[in-house]
Amino acid sequence: MLALKQNPDWAKLIKARTIEESVPRVIEIHESRAGGGLVHTKHYDGGSLVTFDILLKDDFLGGAFATLEENNAMKIHDFNKGDLVIFISHKYHTVQKISKGQRATFILELWEGEERKCPHRCTLMHGSCDFSKSDILMEKMIAPGMPGDE
């Protein structure tokens, strides 16, 4: 959290919201195997303010974490087992396809809405959410592999 407070550019990006007022929106473990990844170069964690990723398994090939930079180039970041990457949630990021093994990552996203306990990436900032586990089954039928494929 200290890095967020000390970097004035990040304060501008989150529009002077304080990190202390942010609460968990998403807490997940993403597991991907050979062929998996998050290959969309313009993926971002919409609705959240700050994303924390911790690599839990590093017995895989491929699966590099990368961000789209201002010069339109993808920057690959060193990300080893136990490492923590913190970034502004609206930054475009990707995980290259895994060619061998299994990759597991702990994900925490903070936002300025109420702390959520519903079993999905809630977009309702305040009030009760009526999303159910059966809704997740429907989502998986419509978009196989989601959520969970990085």
Side-chain angles (χ1 to χ4, degrees):
M1 299 290 194
L2 185 60
L4 297 176
K5 292 179 187 176
Q6 292 179 341
N7 189 325
D9 293 331
W10 282 39
K12 290 177 199 170
L13 289 171
I14 60 174
K15 299 179 183 163
R17 299 175 188 125
T18 63
I19 199 70
E20 290 85 1
E21 295 171 354
S22 302
V23 297
R25 173 183 182 222
V26 172
I27 301 174
E28 301 173 326
I29 293 183
H30 291 191
E31 294 181 300
S32 297
R33 293 176 178 76
L38 176 62
V39 296
H40 308 295
T41 58
K42 293 204 173 174
H43 168 81
Y44 64 98
D45 302 326
S48 297
L49 298 172
V50 179
T51 300
F52 299 76
D53 291 1
I54 300 174
L55 191 62
L56 302 175
K57 285 187 176 183
D58 62 359
D59 55 343
F60 60 89
L61 295 175
F65 176 79
T67 55
L68 185 62
E69 300 302 315
E70 289 179 10
N71 64 359
N72 248 4
M74 293 303 294
K75 178 179 179 181
I76 295 176
H77 300 272
D78 287 335
F79 196 30
N80 300 303
K81 184 177 180 180
D83 286 352
L84 167 66
V85 175
I86 304 171
F87 55 95
I88 296 295
S89 298
H90 67 262
K91 182 164 185 67
Y92 293 137
H93 57 282
T94 186
V95 175
Q96 296 175 344
K97 280 193 176 184
I98 298 164
S99 57
K100 182 178 181 182
Q102 184 176 351
R103 182 183 197 277
T105 310
F106 172 85
I107 310 291
L108 168 66
E109 295 176 20
L110 299 180
W111 74 337
E112 63 182 349
E114 293 176 355
E115 184 172 349
R116 303 318 278 170
K117 295 181 180 161
C118 41
H120 70 118
R121 290 178 174 265
C122 195
T123 57
L124 185 63
M125 294 182 79
H126 302 285
S128 295
C129 176
D130 61 358
F131 194 90
S132 70
K133 289 185 180 184
S134 62
D135 293 327
I136 290 176
L137 294 175
M138 279 302 269
E139 281 185 356
K140 286 189 177 218
M141 288 171 40
I142 294 168
M146 296 298 290
D149 279 353
E150 287 193 90

